[in-house]
């Protein structure tokens, strides 16, 4: 073996490492590791590398019989790698943290998790091709005879149900992390963008995110929050509309986030207007049902909002148009008072409630 890492007594090998020339087919040469694992009862981990690509093998299925597939891999030339996760994984092999038993469990969990991801992804992409999944999904919903035509129909309905289901379970925290990951992937792909046929993910193409990059990220990589004059103009217009309808100005609050600008009543969880003002198109999300919103926002483009963000979305060209939506905003304010606290959109606001609400009071 090229390298062996022993326990603190220096008698039991815990990890073996095989090194090969750059560009070697590592999986094809991994049988050397299999021989070591079969001959040394205390050995459960082997690594093979060409200096750029790293494959981690174990004996998860049968003790001292190396699994045919690695349980973890990474490559230094992978521009899309999540290096924080790679570092976290590698830290488990440090001298102070190494524990063969827990590492085996972690490796098993990682493999199970990836298997579940692959299986769920395949079923969600094509539910009609996974009969057991489709049967489980519809067993309490459809009680009739399941002919071929019926199953094809249910498969089409299931496919239509998947997107709104995912949006319902996606909270704002999840969406923020997804946007950060899309941005990282895009930044990592920039060096090859000029290659013919390169497929680069553009952050602005990922719905429901409208906002472009608003500011530099903080030291933890999270999007920084920068309140713009347009957002403050929006707040002042909404506040003045509310005052003209009998509300107290001090009760109309705002809170800015990395993805949208909230206006709420008395406390942050009682938001009634979400302004998306930094993207190519400006829009307002409210609690008003779509059909009602279309009725009171005649002349404006109205659509259903992703469930994680609110109920309806109205597109505007500029902030002054907010005054033409005063009926929509006051209706949303009333609905916010009875909005479910356990809804995804309300949960997002609740995450900020521990922070002091930002309040702006201006004369006139």
């Amino acid at each position: 073996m090229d390298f062996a890492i022993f326990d603190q007594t220096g008698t039991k090998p815990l990890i073996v490492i095989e090194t090969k020339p750059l560009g070697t087919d590592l999986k094809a040469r991994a049988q050397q590791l299999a021989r070591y694992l079969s001959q040394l009862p205390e050995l459960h981990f082997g690594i093979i590398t060409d200096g750029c690509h790293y494959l981690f093998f174990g004996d998860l299925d049968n003790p001292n019989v190396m699994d045919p597939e690695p349980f973890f891999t990474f490559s230094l030339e992978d521009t899309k790698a999540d290096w924080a996760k790679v570092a976290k994984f590698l830290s488990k092999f440090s001298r102070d943290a190494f524990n063969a038993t827990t590492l085996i469990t972690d490796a098993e969990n990682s493999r199970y998790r990836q298997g579940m991801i692959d299986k769920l992804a395949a079923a969600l992409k094509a539910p009609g091709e996974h009969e057991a999944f489709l049967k489980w999904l519809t067993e309490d919903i459809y009680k009739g005879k399941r002919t071929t035509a019926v199953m094809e129909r249910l498969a089409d309905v299931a496919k239509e149900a998947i997107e709104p289901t995912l949006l319902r379970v996606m909270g704002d925290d999840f969406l923020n992390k997804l946007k950060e990951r899309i941005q990282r992937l895009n930044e990592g792909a920039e060096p090859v963008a000029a290659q013919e046929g390169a497929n680069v993910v553009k952050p602005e193409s990922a719905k429901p995110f409208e906002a472009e990059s608003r500011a530099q990220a903080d030291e933890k990589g999270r999007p920084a929050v920068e309140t713009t004059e347009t957002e403050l103009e929006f707040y002042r217009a909404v506040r003045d509309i509310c005052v003209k309808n009998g509300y107290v100005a001090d009760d109309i609050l705002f809170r800015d986030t990395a993805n949208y600008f909230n206006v709420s009543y008395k406390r942050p969880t009682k938001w009634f207007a979400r302004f998306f003002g930094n993207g190519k198109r400006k829009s307002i999300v409210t609690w008003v049902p779509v059909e009602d919103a279309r009725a009171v926002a005649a002349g404006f483009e109205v659509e259903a909002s992703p469930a994680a963000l609110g109920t309806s979305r109205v597109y505007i060209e500029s902030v002054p148009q907010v005054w033409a939506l005063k009926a929509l905003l006051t209706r949303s304010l009333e609905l916010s008072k009875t909005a479910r606290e356990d809804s995804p959109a309300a949960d997002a606001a609740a995450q900020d409630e521990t922070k002091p609400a930002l309040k702006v009071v201006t004369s006139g």
Side-chain angles (χ1 to χ4, degrees):
M1 56 190 71
D2 294 319
F3 296 93
I5 300 176
F6 287 77
D7 67 355
Q8 293 183 354
T9 68
T11 58
K12 298 178 181 179
L14 302 177
I15 308 171
V16 294
I17 304 173
E18 276 296 312
T19 59
K20 300 298 178 186
L22 185 64
T24 299
D25 184 346
L26 297 178
K27 287 187 68 174
R29 304 292 296 275
Q31 284 306 307
Q32 282 181 274
L33 294 177
R35 289 199 296 273
Y36 302 145
L37 265 67
S38 66
Q39 296 167 3
L40 301 167
E42 300 293 335
L43 183 63
H44 300 287
F45 299 100
I47 303 169
I48 186 168
T49 178
D50 64 356
C52 180
H53 307 86
Y54 293 78
L55 279 60
F56 290 70
F57 286 89
D59 57 352
L60 307 182
D61 292 331
N62 298 292
N64 297 115
V65 178
M66 191 179 82
D67 302 323
E69 296 294 327
F71 64 86
F72 185 79
T73 66
F74 71 92
S75 170
L76 297 179
E77 65 180 2
D78 184 0
T79 59
K80 298 182 179 181
D82 187 334
W83 294 112
K85 288 186 178 179
V86 173
K88 183 178 180 180
F89 172 82
L90 293 178
S91 69
K92 297 177 181 179
F93 287 82
S94 65
R95 184 203 308 234
D96 294 333
F98 186 87
N99 183 306
T101 301
T102 57
L103 269 172
I104 290 173
T105 301
D106 288 345
E108 289 175 337
N109 290 344
S110 177
R111 188 171 63 174
Y112 299 154
R113 180 169 53 252
Q114 189 58 50
M116 292 177 186
I117 291 171
D118 293 342
K119 192 171 183 178
L120 278 171
L124 293 175
K125 286 180 179 178
E129 298 177 11
H130 297 77
E131 186 176 349
F133 172 78
L134 187 59
K135 184 178 179 180
W136 166 82
L137 184 65
T138 60
E139 61 184 353
D140 297 325
I141 299 170
Y142 180 79
K143 304 294 185 180
K145 187 176 180 180
R146 293 172 181 266
T147 63
T148 301
V150 167
M151 293 303 289
E152 290 176 354
R153 175 187 171 192
L154 291 176
D156 291 338
V157 174
K159 197 167 185 179
E160 293 173 358
I162 287 169
E163 182 177 349
T165 300
L166 294 176
L167 290 173
R168 179 179 296 181
V169 299
M170 287 179 182
D172 283 357
D173 184 58
F174 177 91
L175 296 176
N176 287 342
K177 290 179 180 178
L178 179 61
K179 184 181 180 184
E180 292 174 27
R181 182 163 178 77
I182 290 171
Q183 289 174 328
R184 287 200 302 269
L185 291 176
N186 186 53
E187 290 167 359
E190 285 178 356
V192 298
Q195 297 179 6
E196 184 176 357
N199 184 17
V200 180
V201 178
K202 298 294 184 182
E204 61 269 19
S205 69
K207 287 190 174 182
F209 301 110
E210 293 184 303
E212 297 171 341
S213 179
R214 302 169 62 130
Q216 295 296 319
D218 63 16
E219 67 276 4
K220 294 184 179 180
R222 298 171 300 194
V225 176
E226 178 183 340
T227 302
T228 66
E229 181 56 37
T230 301
E231 290 168 332
L232 293 177
E233 182 186 1
F234 173 79
Y235 163 74
R236 289 190 289 266
V238 174
R239 180 205 57 195
D240 291 348
I241 288 171
C242 294
V243 169
K244 289 182 180 295
N245 281 274
Y247 289 94
V248 178
D250 285 0
D251 289 339
I252 309 302
L253 315 175
F254 75 78
R255 181 181 297 284
D256 201 359
T257 75
N259 296 311
Y260 50 74
F261 181 86
N262 262 1
V263 179
S264 57
Y265 178 64
K266 288 192 175 180
R267 57 194 181 97
T269 53
K270 290 301 181 183
W271 70 270
F272 62 92
R274 280 181 169 164
F275 179 52
F276 295 78
N278 286 69
K280 294 180 179 178
R281 300 186 70 191
K282 296 178 174 60
S283 67
I284 304 168
V285 169
T286 71
W287 287 107
V288 180
V290 176
E291 292 306 317
D292 292 349
R294 289 193 175 115
V296 298
F300 290 86
E301 181 182 349
V302 181
E303 66 181 17
S305 165
L309 297 176
T311 304
S312 60
R313 182 196 298 268
V314 179
Y315 289 95
I316 62 174
E317 297 295 329
S318 61
V319 171
Q321 289 183 317
V322 169
W323 284 95
L325 298 171
K326 54 183 180 292
L328 175 77
L329 293 167
T330 52
R331 173 61 177 154
S332 184
L333 193 159
E334 291 300 316
L335 290 172
S336 73
K337 298 176 183 178
T338 56
R340 287 174 52 195
E341 295 286 351
D342 61 345
S343 69
D347 282 345
Q351 291 173 6
D352 284 338
E353 191 170 19
T354 55
K355 303 173 186 176
L358 299 179
K359 186 182 296 185
V360 175
V361 181
T362 60
S363 60

